[in-house]
Amino acid sequence: MKLSEMFWNATQTELKQGYIEQENHFICLLCGKATEKGIIYGKDGIFYEAEKFIVKHLEDDHESVFTYLIHLDKKLTGLTDHQNRLLRLFYEGRTDAEIQKELDIGSSSTIRNHRFVLKEKERQAKLFLTMMDLLKEKDKHHPAFIDIHQTARMIDDRYNVTQAEKDEMLQKFFGDGKLTRFPSKEKQRLVILREVLERFQPEKRYKEKEVNDLLSQVYEDYALLRRYLIDYGFIDRTQDGSMYWRKG
């Protein structure tokens, strides 16, 4: 299962802890790092069993699940920029007086009103999730949509693609494992780039030449693929462009 699928199919408890447990592994939902049950992992002279080590990884590499989630696109979180800033400050344990000063808010009552709005948003989210779960039991005609990549930089109608449409696009643009041409339509590009992303291993860092060699096996214009993978938020690179890695 792809990382984005694991992320979106995870329960609220699993998302909160940041990892899922499978038969033989624990897998980080934020980057795909996996630890194997029965293996002891060492770091800085301390040894951890598999689950403890994945928790250690989340702390060291992602700081916290909250930090990761609060940086996601606001179309994924549903938060306004102002709500995002408030949640960050609340999470840091700031007092209302400190937040009032930090955000230059006129009165402490305004902050209380924001807290109330966020609490109301939480209630609405719980009810909506419950209704969606109940709907799944009755709606037999709901199409399977492709998952939204959690590190996507722009969430829009491009993601309105069903699994059947995705399969059709892949069949149309790929032949013998190679891309026959790069599509001009945004939805098709998204599907193609997601497929190309599967050539990259989670957590592995690639030199630019390695990226070029990997992408040239897919399409002759590897520079175009590399640029779009970055533009769409699928891969990232160092400022000097010397190292690349898969995002999520």
Side-chain angles (χ1 to χ4, degrees):
M1 184 184 293
K2 297 177 182 178
L3 180 58
S4 60
E5 291 180 82
M6 288 191 290
F7 183 89
W8 293 116
N9 290 333
T11 65
Q12 186 175 354
T13 298
E14 290 170 336
L15 280 175
K16 185 178 177 180
Q17 69 185 13
Y19 65 93
I20 60 171
E21 179 179 0
Q22 294 189 335
E23 183 178 357
N24 298 311
H25 297 85
F26 294 96
I27 302 176
C28 174
L29 289 169
L30 312 186
C31 70
K33 181 180 179 65
T35 57
E36 184 177 349
K37 293 180 180 179
I39 301 296
I40 300 299
Y41 297 84
K43 186 172 185 180
D44 300 327
I46 301 176
F47 296 93
Y48 305 84
E49 54 87 21
E51 186 169 14
K52 293 290 186 181
F53 193 70
I54 207 72
V55 172
K56 175 69 173 171
H57 156 74
L58 282 159
E59 295 172 352
D60 291 347
D61 292 14
H62 303 294
E63 187 176 337
S64 71
V65 176
F66 180 91
T67 301
Y68 178 88
L69 296 179
I70 203 70
H71 282 92
L72 292 179
D73 189 279
K74 59 186 177 182
K75 286 194 175 181
L76 291 177
T77 64
L79 297 170
T80 66
D81 292 337
H82 188 61
Q83 289 172 334
N84 185 293
R85 288 194 294 270
L86 282 168
L87 281 176
R88 291 177 193 232
L89 294 171
F90 292 152
Y91 187 77
E92 292 172 6
R94 304 285 192 93
T95 65
D96 285 6
E98 290 171 334
I99 296 172
Q100 182 180 347
K101 183 178 180 180
E102 175 85 15
L103 300 182
D104 194 23
I105 294 175
S107 66
S108 57
S109 63
T110 302
I111 298 176
R112 289 197 300 272
N113 288 337
H114 283 301
R115 288 184 183 274
F116 178 81
V117 170
L118 288 169
K119 191 65 179 178
E120 193 67 17
K121 193 177 185 70
E122 178 190 15
R123 296 190 190 100
Q124 293 169 348
K126 286 181 178 179
L127 293 177
F128 181 72
L129 286 174
T130 301
M131 288 188 288
M132 289 301 294
D133 281 341
L134 293 170
L135 178 61
K136 289 175 186 176
E137 300 173 7
K138 294 291 185 181
D139 187 1
K140 306 301 181 183
H141 307 289
H142 186 275
F145 291 96
I146 62 171
D147 293 313
I148 296 177
H149 194 68
Q150 65 263 37
T151 56
R153 293 180 175 177
M154 188 164 49
I155 314 299
D156 52 29
D157 190 57
R158 290 176 295 181
Y159 285 89
N160 184 10
V161 179
T162 66
Q163 186 63 46
E165 289 173 329
K166 172 192 170 183
D167 294 341
E168 184 179 338
M169 290 178 196
L170 292 178
Q171 186 176 7
K172 177 180 179 180
F173 289 100
F174 276 94
D176 297 325
K178 297 203 69 171
L179 186 62
T180 55
R181 61 186 175 90
F182 193 69
S184 58
K185 294 182 178 179
E186 291 288 334
K187 286 186 179 182
Q188 294 172 336
R189 285 179 179 176
L190 177 66
V191 169
I192 295 306
L193 291 171
R194 287 167 63 104
E195 185 68 15
V196 173
L197 181 67
E198 293 308 304
R199 271 70 170 179
F200 290 82
Q201 297 178 26
E203 290 196 49
K204 181 176 178 178
R205 285 186 167 293
Y206 296 84
K207 295 180 180 178
E208 184 174 358
K209 185 179 183 305
E210 292 178 306
V211 172
N212 295 342
D213 290 344
L214 187 153
L215 294 178
S216 64
Q217 297 174 24
V218 181
Y219 191 53
E220 58 183 12
D221 192 351
Y222 58 82
L224 180 143
L225 284 183
R226 188 183 65 213
R227 174 164 60 85
Y228 273 103
L229 284 168
I230 293 171
D231 289 346
Y232 277 66
F234 287 120
I235 65 173
D236 206 347
R237 61 182 175 182
T238 56
Q239 192 169 4
D240 62 4
S242 61
M243 300 297 293
Y244 294 73
W245 60 91
R246 172 176 174 162
K247 295 176 64 177

